[in-house]
Amino acid sequence: MGTEIRVQQDDFSVADEYQQLAQESSCGAVVTFAGLVRELAEGQLDAMTLEHYPGMTEQVLADLVAQARGRWQLGQVTLIHRVGRLALNDQIVFVGVAAPHRKAAFEAAMFIMDFLKTQAPFWKQEHTTDGSYWVAAKDTDQAAATAWQDD
Amino acid sequence: MVKVKFFAALRERLQCAELDIDSQPSDSVAEIRHRLLQQHPSWRRELLDNDVLCAKNFTFVDLQAAVNPGDELAFFPPVTGG
């Protein structure tokens, strides 16, 4: 029942991560999520740069997983976030959760992503044909994280 | 002395990633911020923006939090990872 947290420039393999998550005999469920760089509504994204706060990032992510373990019975949890310059369709983030049962695995994965979006010190800068712009935080992300506090 | 870091859009607008500033044992985040503005009056609009978040030693804090010499403070915009 380990926790693996990685902040890295390199890409990751969902298949390899799944193999690591699927090795516990006590866990009958593995949920994985991968977030990708997607095209803007206007369709002019060249690339994206992910900046973070080294030190704080790892601490916040570890704390999110610890909070998830306080709410659900979980096995292995793997959380990967890439930083640096990423191209369209590149993988950005991975969360994988093993648990005895599917409900806990689904919910914990969602919980971790919802809080990562509002708590982990990452910032996206989009590079478009018109110039570079820092992405604005979304109210919908804040609302998703806040909703867990009412549970 | 307190180390202060800025990130992302805030770092770009202030044209400063990191600096050291004198501190007193009973300082709060608000007092450190006030001292930053005394040294850099042109930072007023960006640093007083209500959306700016603050962390002390890698943990989110509010303006009333105590700051001690040797602490690391960071100011940054709302986060947009994931």
Side-chain angles (χ1 to χ4, degrees), chain A residues 98-119:
Chain A
H101 304 288
R102 71 179 184 282
K103 193 163 187 286
F106 272 122
E107 289 183 355
M110 184 96 115
F111 173 92
I112 289 167
M113 274 309 301
D114 283 349
F115 275 94
L116 182 154
K117 285 261 181 190
T118 58
Q119 302 284 310

Side-chain angles (χ1 to χ4, degrees), chain A residues 50-56 59-60 81 92-93 113 116-125 134-138, chain B residues 5-13 53-60 72-82:
Chain A
L50 255 298
E51 176 176 334
H52 79 121
Y53 181 2
M56 181 170 175
Q59 186 168 307
V60 169
H81 204 298
I92 306 174
V93 60
M113 274 309 301
L116 182 154
K117 285 261 181 190
T118 58
Q119 302 284 310
F122 293 101
W123 300 274
K124 289 190 183 110
Q125 189 179 36
W134 291 97
V135 173
K138 293 194 191 79
Chain B
K5 293 183 173 180
F6 305 102
F7 288 94
L10 189 61
R11 185 198 68 242
E12 286 193 345
R13 289 195 203 111
L53 302 172
C54 182
K56 182 184 82 171
N57 301 336
F58 300 161
T59 301
F60 285 102
E72 177 171 308
L73 279 189
F75 294 94
F76 46 77
V79 302
T80 56

Side-chain angles (χ1 to χ4, degrees), chain B residues 22-74:
Chain B
D22 283 331
S23 66
Q24 309 297 325
S26 59
D27 272 337
S28 65
V29 172
E31 281 156 340
I32 297 288
R33 189 176 69 168
H34 179 69
R35 209 163 300 140
L36 283 168
L37 290 174
Q38 284 180 324
Q39 289 183 15
H40 303 274
S42 64
W43 290 2
R44 189 167 190 83
R45 189 171 150 212
E46 283 78 16
L47 217 46
L48 295 185
D49 188 321
N50 281 332
D51 286 342
V52 168
L53 302 172
C54 182
K56 182 184 82 171
N57 301 336
F58 300 161
T59 301
F60 285 102
V61 291
D62 59 28
L63 290 169
Q64 285 71 49
V67 180
N68 291 303
D71 284 345
E72 177 171 308
L73 279 189

